[in-house]
Amino acid sequence: MILYFTQRVILTLVMLLILTFVVFLGVYYIGDPIALLMPEQGQGASIDAARKLLGLDGSFLTQYATFIKGLFSGSLGKSFVFGTSCFDIILERLPASLELTLLALLFSCIIGVKLGLYAARFPEGKGAKWIEFYALLGMSFPVYWLGLMLVTLFAAQLHWLPSIGRGETFWGLSFLTIDGIRHLVLPVLVLMMFKVALFIRLTRHFAGNVAQKSFVYFTRARGISESIIYKKHIVKHLMLPISTVFSLEFGSLLLSAVITESVFAWPGLGKLLIDALLQLDRPMVIAFVIFVGLFYAIMNLVLDIIHRFIDPRLREKRWA
Amino acid sequence: MGMISKFVSAESSSFWGKASLIGLFVVLAASFVLPFFLPYDYKHFSDLEHLFLKPFSQGHILGTNEFGRDMFSGLLYGLQTSFIIAGISTFFAFAFGTFLGVYAAYKGGMVEKILGRVTELQLSIPSFLIALLLIAFLGHGFLPLIAALVLGQWAYFAQTARSIAKAEIRQEYVLSARLLGLSSFYIVCKHLLPNALPPQIVVFSYQLARAIALESALSFLGVGVPLTEPSLGLFIAQGYAYFLNKAYWVSLFPGIMLILLVMMVTKIGDYLNTIYDRKSS
């Protein structure tokens, strides 16, 4: 187990190093940041000074070395726009994204699994047809358009809910205050639209498969009621696939809620990325890419280890 | 409810699948042909005295926007942009992904392992994020947008192509082709690719729907097509500024059109999928 763990960590580190190299190479060969930052009629001397100040005067390898040194000191470089360490800004934005993502996923999972189970149990019923219709609609709805329509209806027309920002926070979290919860409702609903559809499709598919198994047949023969078979026995078999999808979706939602965050001006990671893109804040974009790589590497590692604990059959295999 | 239940259930999808196919064809033809016959061309006609005309007034079926441009014509041009960008990028993703997948399955060993890992990694990162980051490095414009979409999508094609080709390689006819001394290139092109094609067409349809959605989302954020070009996502973003006070139509109709388009293409994918299932079973 320890050997396996060390192997995985070393592999992850090597992959991250390759990622930084590729990203740096890409940025080094595409355009000169100085040209973007300095006014066009800048003096030769001031351009040189700026080049030195930003550490852009060395060869490719020296610049890469400086960059890596910065990485190990944990700064990930300074943002052109904010003027402080990119990594600090990312960490500062993380809680906002985390709470939005977790709340949306948790609700979607609960509702999606419930509806999916219902659709699997009564596949011919009217309810199941509506659920299936929702599953198709939810998958093809453009998220931002839905966001705008909800803002129009609930914020601008009815004045029930606020439309932008996080509102009051307690310990840096919105869902601990009434005002914060009011701010959370709309973005969480928008994020849920797609995810509920996803969980419905997933649950219906897996529950349909599990329901064919012989243990269900025997449980039924023992006189256990149909609703208990679904609520207690089949649900347990769905745990593994659902938890895998949950964690994968967690990763993707955390980093790519860009649209929802920008529609609702939610100060999370997605908003940070799109702002950095529009303001040509190169160090921020690089920092973000490396953060994404780091995030996925760690998540894969943790998932692997968790699965080994859940499923003993996996423990025998060597890493491939 | 009867119609809707037919629309969603996969078994009886052939009617709605065919209807979507015809619908898509009509929209496609309209978006490329109609602009030639409209009195107010979005690109060349701007009437600054009639801003925000309501739908169905003075020959503007969907009204005008903040520059007095005709929104019906704009919608058609936006659809053109969607079709061209999504079509080209999905096609290249298809060609690139299919080739890589089949090649990896044929080669096996290290090549396949590495490609499998890369595909897996790419599939776990949302294509939207990949496209967004690539645009950050490549810059704005049509070509970077297409490149970003291709790189965000190829993995889906590579995965299916690889699994199908792997099953196909074990068949006897591939072995006998090898024994006949035919070159690997010939076997891949003549035998493996044609067999990997039918399921790829299903994937193509789903990916086309995703590409349309992706393009409009990127354009909505202002990093997709150039801001001067007509695009559904861009209309929604620009029109929203005027949504609340007066001109709801500028962003409402492009939004509805987009949902219809994505649903139709998805439904066509379902339809092709049932046809393929029926044939293979």
Side-chain angles (χ1 to χ4, degrees), chain A residues 1 3-5 7 308 314-320:
Chain A
M1 192 68 189
L3 180 74
Y4 169 79
F5 188 74
Q7 278 173 333
R308 272 159 184 268
L314 291 172
R315 280 180 215 156
E316 298 307 316
K317 277 192 219 152
R318 291 256 155 260
W319 60 283

Side-chain angles (χ1 to χ4, degrees), chain A residues 8 11 15 23 26-27 30 126 129-130 132-134 136-137 139-142 144-145 147-149 151-152 156-157 201 248 251-253 255-256 258-259 262-263 273-274 277-278 280 282 285-286 288-289 292 296 300 320, chain B residues 1 4-11 113 117 121 124-126 128-129 132-133 135-138 140 206 213 216-218 220-223 232-233 236-237 240 243-244 251-256 258-259 262-263 266-267 270:
Chain A
R8 280 304 304 255
L11 202 70
M15 266 180 68
V23 170
V27 175
I30 296 167
K126 254 191 180 168
K129 299 291 179 209
W130 279 109
E132 278 180 57
F133 178 61
Y134 172 76
L136 177 73
L137 191 73
M139 298 295 257
S140 25
F141 232 75
Y144 51 94
W145 196 73
L148 296 179
M149 294 304 125
V151 168
T152 311
Q157 297 292 327
R201 285 172 89 116
L248 280 176
S252 84
L253 203 56
L255 299 168
S256 69
V258 181
I259 296 175
S262 67
V263 168
L273 175 66
I274 193 70
L277 282 185
L278 292 174
L280 294 174
R282 276 240 169 101
V285 177
I286 299 176
F288 199 88
V289 175
V292 170
Y296 274 102
N300 267 326
Chain B
M1 194 58 221
I4 291 175
S5 75
K6 268 195 194 130
F7 186 71
V8 290
S9 64
E11 294 81 44
K113 222 173 226 171
R117 274 263 149 176
L121 188 75
S124 72
I125 304 174
F128 183 68
L129 193 64
L132 206 57
L133 290 176
I135 285 173
F137 290 117
L138 299 176
H140 297 207
Y206 288 132
S216 71
L218 289 169
F220 172 78
L221 288 173
V223 294
L232 295 181
I236 296 173
Y240 189 67
F243 195 95
L244 297 177
S251 74
L252 183 72
F253 295 117
I256 293 173
L258 193 62
I259 296 172
V262 173
M263 270 174 99
T266 312
K267 207 59 214 168
D270 286 348

Side-chain angles (χ1 to χ4, degrees), chain B residues 134-147:
Chain B
L134 273 166
I135 285 173
F137 290 117
L138 299 176
H140 297 207
F142 281 113
L143 273 183
L145 180 63
I146 289 173

Side-chain angles (χ1 to χ4, degrees), chain B residues 35-226:
Chain B
F36 290 115
F37 301 108
L38 286 176
Y40 308 106
D41 192 88
Y42 178 84
K43 284 184 175 166
H44 307 295
F45 178 81
S46 157
D47 179 5
L48 291 174
E49 292 187 357
H50 293 102
L51 309 181
F52 296 121
L53 279 181
K54 284 208 166 103
F56 295 110
S57 52
Q58 302 182 19
H60 298 284
I61 302 175
L62 295 182
T64 58
N65 71 355
E66 72 269 33
F67 302 114
R69 288 174 191 263
D70 180 53
M71 281 316 291
F72 182 61
S73 162
L75 187 75
L76 294 175
Y77 278 118
L79 283 169
Q80 268 186 28
T81 315
S82 290
F83 283 129
I84 292 171
I85 295 209
I88 292 177
S89 62
T90 314
F91 178 76
F92 277 106
F94 158 73
F96 183 59
T98 310
F99 181 76
L100 269 187
V102 171
Y103 181 75
Y106 187 78
K107 274 275 171 191
M110 216 41 200
V111 178
E112 194 190 0
K113 222 173 226 171
I114 292 174
L115 193 94
R117 274 263 149 176
V118 173
T119 319
E120 236 170 63
L121 188 75
Q122 171 132 24
L123 287 177
S124 72
I125 304 174
S127 2
F128 183 68
L129 193 64
I130 295 174
L132 206 57
L133 290 176
L134 273 166
I135 285 173
F137 290 117
L138 299 176
H140 297 207
F142 281 113
L143 273 183
L145 180 63
I146 289 173
L149 288 177
V150 170
L151 283 164
Q153 290 183 300
W154 70 273
Y156 294 90
F157 291 103
Q159 201 190 29
T160 353
R162 190 166 64 107
S163 62
I164 303 241
K166 256 188 103 66
E168 212 61 41
I169 277 172
R170 297 203 194 93
Q171 307 271 339
E172 275 171 7
Y173 76 91
V174 175
L175 186 70
S176 52
R178 271 188 186 167
L179 287 175
L180 276 172
L182 298 173
S183 71
S184 335
F185 184 75
Y186 183 84
I187 296 175
V188 167
C189 288
K190 275 281 172 187
H191 295 298
L192 294 182
L193 280 180
N195 276 310
L197 225 49
Q200 288 296 75
I201 291 171
V202 177
V203 181
F204 187 93
S205 178
Y206 288 132
Q207 287 303 318
L208 188 68
R210 293 192 51 173
I212 292 171
L214 268 179
E215 181 273 319
S216 71
L218 289 169
S219 298
F220 172 78
L221 288 173
V223 294
V225 299

